[in-house]
Amino acid sequence: MINPSAVEDILNACNSPKTRRLYTHYLNEFQAWYQANERKELNVSTLMAYRSNLTNSDLSSSSINTNLILAKRLACYQHQDNPMLVWSIERNIKPLPKNRVKARKALTIEQIKAVLTACQDGTVHGVRDEAIIGLQFGAGLRRSEVAKLDLNDFDGMDLLIRQSKGRKTRYVPLPDWAIRRVNAWLEVRPPIDGETALFIAWSKGRMSERNVYAIFKHRTQKAGLHGFHPHNARTTYVTHLLKLKNDIAIVSKLVGHSGIQTTITYDLRGDEEMRLTVNSFKLD
């Protein structure tokens, strides 16, 4: 059984409210998995099974390892009066290697259109979701960047991305098809006194990162696409811009990368692109 006081002690050790919220989410996920799988003991066998479950998910390596570290910490804390078991847990439950290739995937143009069409259900929620997903594919936004957008960050053509990863601020020009979807949302966005967020979850006000994640998952699955998450929209954005022979330095600035080496890892152009490139070098 999982001891609630052990969970609370781990959360109380967090240095910031944001970390506490993140850890609460991960620990809740672990407890839900633990109960659903009817595990009796919080031991090495249970943690190995949880590691396998995480590895088969669509989470990034860092998210998988954070989940695993918290589950290990909970187990070790709960069994602190059993040093041999704690030693066994520490010895046998290893994080994923840092050089594990992330499961990056890019959607085709047809798949992007299918996801946007899946939002067109005749509801205000659908209009909002289509605008959100339009910005994810049309501007390569992180889900945290979508959640932070204010009404005055959109000037009708460009987006101001404030305090992004690395505390950087940037302007991102939008394609016409994304602008149309944002304008359609602004026409039906319900007013909430004092709420400046561009995207809202009605009674909750400003949308959270978790809301953005859930919307993307729901709409991609409704379009018949499975195993995709919001960061795949960012990878898709980079890949398609590079397919169109755009300067990688400009693409890197658009997505807010610190350098082109990071952008290169988002480039999923395949063998066919390489073949077209070498065949462009003609001698006769």
Side-chain angles (χ1 to χ4, degrees), residues 5-14 20 23 27 70 73-75 77:
S5 63
V7 174
E8 191 60 30
D9 285 345
I10 290 173
L11 295 177
N12 286 338
C14 294
R20 184 184 176 98
Y23 282 14
L27 287 170
L70 286 171
R73 189 179 298 175
L74 179 61
Y77 188 97

Side-chain angles (χ1 to χ4, degrees), residues 111-137 177 181 184-185 188 199 202 211-225:
Q111 288 174 325
I112 295 171
K113 290 179 179 178
V115 177
L116 292 171
T117 300
C119 298
Q120 297 167 6
D121 55 10
T123 68
V124 176
H125 288 81
V127 177
R128 179 200 62 188
D129 294 356
E130 189 174 357
I132 288 173
I133 292 173
L135 289 183
Q136 289 176 296
F137 282 118
W177 54 267
R181 286 168 168 84
W185 160 242
V188 298
F199 296 112
W202 275 257
N211 293 145
V212 176
Y213 184 94
I215 286 169
F216 190 90
K217 292 287 288 186
H218 171 63
R219 296 300 180 176
T220 51
Q221 289 173 1
K222 189 175 179 181
L225 305 173

Side-chain angles (χ1 to χ4, degrees), residues 129-273:
D129 294 356
E130 189 174 357
I132 288 173
I133 292 173
L135 289 183
Q136 289 176 296
F137 282 118
L141 300 189
R142 302 176 177 94
R143 54 178 167 161
S144 60
E145 294 170 346
V146 174
K148 288 179 182 177
L149 286 173
D150 280 342
L151 288 165
N152 59 9
D153 291 335
F154 174 61
D155 66 3
M157 294 184 66
D158 303 334
L159 278 181
L160 172 63
I161 311 299
R162 297 171 290 102
Q163 294 292 297
S164 184
K165 189 174 181 180
R167 296 187 177 278
K168 293 178 288 187
T169 298
R170 70 185 190 279
Y171 277 98
V172 181
L174 299 177
D176 291 342
W177 54 267
I179 292 173
R180 289 197 302 272
R181 286 168 168 84
V182 175
N183 284 330
W185 160 242
L186 290 175
E187 290 178 4
V188 298
R189 177 189 180 275
I192 299 179
D193 289 343
E195 182 54 75
T196 63
L198 177 58
F199 296 112
I200 56 173
W202 275 257
S203 61
K204 296 180 180 179
R206 181 179 295 275
M207 186 166 288
S208 69
E209 292 183 37
R210 192 182 299 183
N211 293 145
V212 176
Y213 184 94
I215 286 169
F216 190 90
K217 292 287 288 186
H218 171 63
R219 296 300 180 176
T220 51
Q221 289 173 1
K222 189 175 179 181
L225 305 173
H226 300 277
F228 290 98
H229 52 86
H231 212 72
N232 295 137
R234 191 166 164 82
T235 306
T236 300
Y237 179 72
V238 170
T239 298
H240 283 292
L241 287 182
L242 293 177
K243 274 186 177 182
L244 296 170
K245 312 304 179 187
N246 290 294
D247 188 334
I248 192 171
I250 294 176
V251 175
S252 184
K253 289 181 180 179
L254 285 170
V255 292
H257 284 157
S258 57
I260 63 172
Q261 290 304 316
T262 303
T263 310
I264 288 170
T265 67
Y266 283 65
D267 181 10
L268 298 186
R269 288 175 293 177
D271 293 344
E272 186 60 30
E273 289 293 320

